Amino acid sequence: MKDTECIRRLKTEDIVTVCRFVNDNWTSVYQGYVNPSLLTEDGCRQRAMHLKEDFQSKRLSEYVYTANNQAAGLLSCGPTEEKDYKDAFEIWRIYIASAYQGRGIGSQLLKFAEDAAIEQGYSEILIWAFKNNRHALSFYMKHGYRI
């Protein structure tokens, strides 16, 4: 039976997989411009713990892109906490497992978040990215976002 790729709500059984590929992204992408302690084994363990707590808090809407019956991408979105943009919708996280990068999954998750923002009545979307993360900046600019 062929798995249908889809975007659905994050489930408890997705969390270990999601934490793994978020940490993999951190250690491969953020080398050289974040505190090196954040990329160590202990830093990754702490990040996974904070992600699990954040997922359980239901503070944000959490979605996964599934492929081959497992989570291959993560989208976290919801109202911003930025005082200067208090009426904005924020895309907090988009991470794609390395084996699935370059397949348009990030674009699908971004579009899904944009549609959610519109459905919820937002007219402004906010995304934060490290200025050294040229790949992310290029991705967002390609989709019409500006610095």
Side-chain angles (χ1 to χ4, degrees):
M1 176 183 216
K2 186 174 181 344
D3 175 47
T4 303
E5 296 182 4
C6 69
I7 299 171
R8 62 160 170 77
R9 291 267 183 191
L10 175 82
K11 296 179 182 176
T12 302
E13 56 265 26
D14 300 319
I15 293 176
V16 170
T17 300
V18 166
C19 288
R20 185 179 316 115
F21 68 70
V22 168
N23 275 325
D24 288 348
N25 274 259
W26 269 73
T27 57
S28 65
V29 174
Y30 301 146
Q31 286 282 345
Y33 56 93
V34 299
N35 183 327
S37 68
L38 296 173
L39 307 177
T40 65
E41 187 176 318
D42 186 54
C44 289
R45 189 173 25 260
Q46 295 268 342
R47 183 173 310 98
M49 181 183 71
H50 291 297
L51 281 169
K52 289 174 189 175
E53 289 171 359
D54 200 36
F55 296 154
Q56 292 168 346
S57 77
K58 307 283 188 213
R59 172 179 77 91
L60 300 171
S61 295
E62 308 285 354
Y63 301 92
V64 293
Y65 183 97
T66 63
N68 300 319
N69 294 316
Q70 69 176 7
L74 170 69
L75 166 66
S76 302
C77 56
T80 190
E81 294 176 354
E82 294 294 325
K83 291 180 173 77
D84 294 341
Y85 300 93
K86 62 183 170 206
D87 295 324
F89 184 86
E90 186 166 346
I91 298 172
W92 293 76
R93 299 179 196 99
I94 294 181
Y95 287 100
I96 310 301
S98 60
Y100 294 93
Q101 291 179 4
R103 298 184 185 187
I105 295 170
S107 296
Q108 290 180 58
L109 289 171
L110 182 63
K111 175 77 168 95
F112 186 90
E114 292 169 342
D115 291 346
I118 291 166
E119 284 175 20
Q120 294 174 39
Y122 289 93
S123 59
E124 185 174 29
I125 298 174
L126 180 65
I127 303 169
W128 291 100
F130 287 107
K131 67 181 176 183
N132 292 357
N133 190 346
R134 303 229 184 273
H135 182 73
L137 294 176
S138 173
F139 170 78
Y140 292 124
M141 290 171 65
K142 178 179 90 173
H143 287 87
Y145 290 82
R146 58 185 169 78
I147 297 175

